[in-house]
Amino acid sequence: MSAFPDAVRNAWHMVALSRDIGAASIRQVYVCGTPVVLWGTPDGPAALIDRCPHRNYPLSEGRVIDGAIECGYHGWRFDGAGRCVAVPGCVLDGPDKKLDAQPVRLAERHGAIFVALSDDAPAEPPLPPDFGNPDLDHFWWQQGTWRGRAYDAIENVMDPFHTNHLHHGFIRRRDKRLPVDLVVTTHADGIDMAIAQTQPDLGLMSRFLEKDRERSITRYYPPTTVQARWEGTEKLTLCVTAIFTPATEGTFTPFARFSTPKGLAPGWLKQAAIRLFLRPVVAQDRRALAKQYAVMEAFGNPQFVSGPGDILGGRLHRLWKGERLEPGQDETVRGEL
Ligand code: FES
Ligand SMILES: [Fe+2]
């Protein structure tokens, strides 16, 4: 049985950056436990299930010849649609469906490669606001594949209370907190939390990167995308779109897209500053998610208790499973962050 709900398994998943799949390059990725091979063709990236139909050798061990992928075992060749186009040493009498490899839907948008394992995925990968906004500077940040569950990584990003502790000094402080108003809005197909506060966070990052802060808002776009936006009194300061692709049950591949308004500092400088301050924060989350998963593995299952700070309650998990929710707004929660 798959560890993933159908809503997750059948969705579009980001698997690589376009720049990583150049002509003739080959990469194996995992999506919800299924190995997929990506390779570069003159017409752009292509994807197949990473299993040669002949003797099930991994196609990702092969090489690219004339835009087709050639299996490393007996040399059968497949085009981007999975059609077997050559069987070395033998004559192929035209197309023969039973020799074909299994195709995977692929879409390339704004420097990102998405795949869908199922025909149930929508025609297009759904993208959150500003993902391709030409008025913003964008850059991608990828971190390889992490240990832990994609779902717990999503919960981590949606949960502000861990930032005082796990990221003490970097994002917020555990010994000195600010009064905040937390407002949760439920949408049929997502949920967001807005945090209103009168001054920027007390951690290092805000001090260096933010002039002012009115609110930050973090929204979950099921199943795997979270977008966080920081707004100053006049305009957007920073927008981070994080995509958590489930690789296997206990690993996931995060991608982050940073978007900032054009002007003031040049793009490369903003990129350098954001990377500098975020690197330790990201490392802290990475360690925490791996440790959390190790404990859940030791006990054989997750067993969570929700406290007063877990104001999203079970809604995040219901959305992950593909449920739609009753739209509405919660009462404002007063807290200290
Ligand atoms: S296993 Fe791939 S060609 Fe034989
Ligand atoms: Fe975190």
Side-chain angles (χ1 to χ4, degrees):
M1 204 191 82
S2 168
F4 299 100
D6 286 348
V8 177
R9 220 191 126 67
N10 297 344
W12 282 99
H13 292 287
M14 183 172 169
V15 286
L17 299 183
S18 303
R19 63 171 183 246
D20 295 329
I21 312 294
S25 64
I26 299 179
R27 177 178 290 206
Q28 185 197 51
V29 296
Y30 270 80
V31 181
C32 297
T34 301
V36 169
V37 57
L38 302 173
W39 79 96
T41 80
D43 304 324
L48 295 175
I49 296 293
D50 193 12
R51 174 162 75 163
C52 178
H54 182 220
R55 290 293 181 269
N56 290 185
Y57 198 74
L59 291 170
S60 54
E61 292 291 317
R63 55 182 183 161
V64 178
I65 308 279
D66 298 333
I69 191 155
E70 182 192 77
C71 180
Y73 202 165
H74 309 87
W76 289 21
R77 270 185 219 169
F78 305 92
D79 70 11
R83 281 181 296 257
C84 181
V85 292
V87 174
C90 306
V91 179
L92 251 190
D93 300 326
D96 183 348
K97 268 208 149 319
K98 79 170 190 303
L99 307 183
D100 291 351
Q102 205 177 324
V104 170
R105 294 168 68 194
L106 182 146
E108 196 177 11
R109 302 284 179 273
H110 308 294
I113 297 173
F114 296 86
V115 299
L117 299 177
S118 163
D119 288 337
D120 290 344
E124 274 285 309
L127 303 175
D130 287 327
F131 199 79
N133 183 346
D135 297 331
L136 301 175
D137 285 323
H138 304 275
F139 73 90
W140 280 109
W141 196 6
Q142 60 181 336
Q143 301 277 333
T145 294
W146 295 18
R147 209 166 145 59
R149 300 190 309 174
Y151 175 74
D152 294 315
I154 290 162
E155 198 186 44
N156 166 293
V157 185
M158 290 297 298
D159 158 39
F161 285 95
H162 85 282
T163 57
N164 293 72
H165 269 263
L166 191 65
H167 308 305
H168 169 67
F170 287 101
I171 296 186
R172 296 187 172 96
R173 301 188 59 88
R174 61 178 165 236
D175 51 355
K176 207 169 157 206
R177 289 167 174 262
L178 296 173
V180 295
D181 282 340
L182 301 153
V183 181
V184 174
T185 305
T186 310
H187 312 270
D189 59 351
I191 194 161
D192 70 56
M193 186 192 294
I195 305 176
Q197 59 193 66
T198 50
Q199 50 173 304
D201 302 329
L202 298 173
L204 273 178
M205 241 176 51
S206 284
R207 273 197 228 172
F208 282 91
L209 297 178
E210 261 182 317
K211 264 206 335 278
D212 56 290
R213 162 88 67 92
E214 204 156 70
R215 62 173 203 157
S216 63
I217 180 160
T218 310
R219 177 163 172 169
Y220 175 40
Y221 295 87
T224 58
T225 303
V226 176
Q227 189 180 71
R229 305 168 71 89
W230 285 264
E231 291 167 8
T233 43
E234 269 152 43
K235 60 174 188 172
L236 178 77
T237 313
L238 171 67
C239 169
V240 184
T241 306
I243 301 176
F244 300 95
T245 300
T248 62
E249 189 175 347
T251 61
F252 63 95
T253 312
F255 297 93
R257 182 166 172 83
F258 292 80
S259 311
T260 50
K262 284 204 161 102
L264 284 174
W268 65 266
L269 185 62
K270 284 186 286 191
Q271 178 167 170
I274 290 170
R275 281 177 188 270
L276 181 72
F277 286 106
L278 230 47
R279 197 175 301 277
V281 173
V282 168
Q284 286 166 335
D285 279 326
R286 184 174 191 156
R287 274 196 302 275
L289 288 160
K291 285 179 194 290
Q292 177 191 21
Y293 187 68
V295 172
M296 294 191 298
E297 259 195 320
F299 286 92
N301 64 338
Q303 212 172 75
F304 296 168
V305 168
S306 282
D310 298 308
I311 56 181
L312 298 178
R315 286 173 286 188
L316 213 55
H317 202 250
R318 287 170 58 199
L319 288 164
W320 165 258
K321 287 187 300 185
E323 279 181 45
R324 289 178 75 81
L325 303 181
E326 185 68 40
Q329 194 166 81
D330 292 10
E331 263 180 52
T332 301
V333 175
R334 276 274 149 89
E336 287 196 330
L337 286 175

